Amino acid sequence: MTLTQKRIICIAIGVAATALILVFGLRDTRPVVVCFGDSLTSCGGKGGHYSDWLAKQLPHFRIIDAGVGGDTLEQGRHRFQKDVLRHRPTVVLIALGANDFWKATRTVGELQRYLEEMVKAAQAQKAQVVIASCFGDRQFWDETCVEFAFARFELAAKIAKMEQSVCDKYGCVYVPNMQVDVKPNRLPPYWDATDHPNKVGNEQVALRLLPAIIKATERR
């Protein structure tokens, strides 16, 4: 049996399990993936979050969206127990840092400490961690249309380097640029008037995240 055939069978089983849960009110015992982030996680409208698209691709997992607009890494760590750990997740996807970048009120060292606290807490519960970024694997100085000013390039590069170092240190799966497929910002068909990916854009974000989540689930 090929890998594609196995995947089709897994999806079919997942869809059937989801249908039984919805129809008969059975307890949902599927392993959990928590998408934990800021407005880049909560955007897209009803049915249009990247977590909604992931749920369609991974029906044999229960996908929980824990995105809160405006959240920083520091704020995220304060709600990590309530919004993530209490679900006993198999995989935690952490997509935070954009607001820290724009506010620039914390050092990169402080951001690393906040991120590491969450990673260690998740791993203490035997969860696998995926870290999703908007800054990694980019040559800002060579891009024709960057969403922020030249003066911020160095900070963005430092945050990306920090994220990579945390992934290397703790064995997390890294997605260096979750929005690479919907660049540049603010343009149709992928962006809405709030300067966030819309439903169509989040489908592309989900497809970018999907291989990393699958890789993490295979480690459990």
Side-chain angles (χ1 to χ4, degrees):
M1 184 180 295
T2 67
L3 183 61
T4 300
Q5 289 173 324
K6 289 180 180 179
R7 178 156 172 70
I8 291 173
I9 291 173
C10 286
I11 290 175
I13 293 172
V15 170
T18 303
L20 287 171
I21 290 166
L22 293 174
V23 173
F24 297 105
L26 300 180
R27 181 169 173 266
D28 193 340
T29 59
R30 292 173 296 171
V32 173
V33 175
V34 177
C35 299
F36 184 70
D38 49 35
S39 59
L40 298 181
T41 297
S42 64
C43 68
K46 184 177 180 180
H49 302 172
Y50 68 72
S51 59
D52 294 317
W53 290 107
L54 289 173
K56 294 178 181 180
Q57 293 293 322
L58 298 168
H60 46 303
F61 285 87
R62 183 159 67 98
I63 311 295
I64 295 174
D65 190 299
V68 173
D71 249 16
T72 62
L73 280 159
E74 183 178 18
Q75 291 170 317
R77 70 175 181 145
H78 287 307
R79 65 181 181 92
F80 201 67
Q81 173 64 46
K82 175 175 68 74
D83 290 350
V84 178
L85 298 182
R86 73 179 180 87
H87 296 293
R88 308 296 299 182
T90 296
V91 176
V92 179
L93 185 147
I94 301 175
L96 285 168
N99 291 305
D100 297 281
F101 168 79
W102 289 111
K103 293 179 179 181
T105 57
R106 295 289 185 269
T107 67
V108 175
E110 288 174 310
L111 302 185
Q112 179 167 344
R113 177 163 59 85
Y114 304 148
L115 181 57
E116 287 190 0
E117 284 182 18
M118 290 185 282
V119 170
K120 289 188 288 187
Q123 291 183 340
Q125 284 196 359
K126 309 301 182 185
Q128 296 295 325
V129 178
V130 177
I131 294 177
S133 176
C134 296
F135 306 113
D137 197 25
R138 295 179 64 178
Q139 300 299 317
F140 304 106
W141 294 266
D142 296 331
E143 291 185 21
T144 56
C145 184
V146 181
E147 63 270 26
F148 42 81
F150 175 82
R152 290 182 175 269
F153 287 8
E154 184 177 4
L155 176 58
K158 286 181 177 179
I159 292 175
K161 185 177 180 180
M162 177 274 288
E163 293 166 335
Q164 182 67 70
S165 70
V166 171
C167 288
D168 292 342
K169 182 177 180 179
Y170 294 97
C172 307
V173 182
Y174 189 40
V175 181
N177 192 345
M178 62 189 281
Q179 293 184 332
V180 65
D181 302 303
V182 297
K183 295 295 183 183
N185 288 36
R186 304 182 178 92
L187 297 181
Y190 298 131
W191 293 78
D192 63 22
T194 70
D195 198 20
H196 287 80
N198 56 22
K199 182 176 182 178
V200 176
N202 275 330
E203 180 179 17
Q204 298 304 310
V205 173
L207 291 173
R208 175 62 52 176
L209 296 171
L210 183 62
I213 294 175
I214 291 173
K215 181 178 180 179
T217 63
E218 291 173 346
R219 291 180 175 181
R220 63 193 176 100

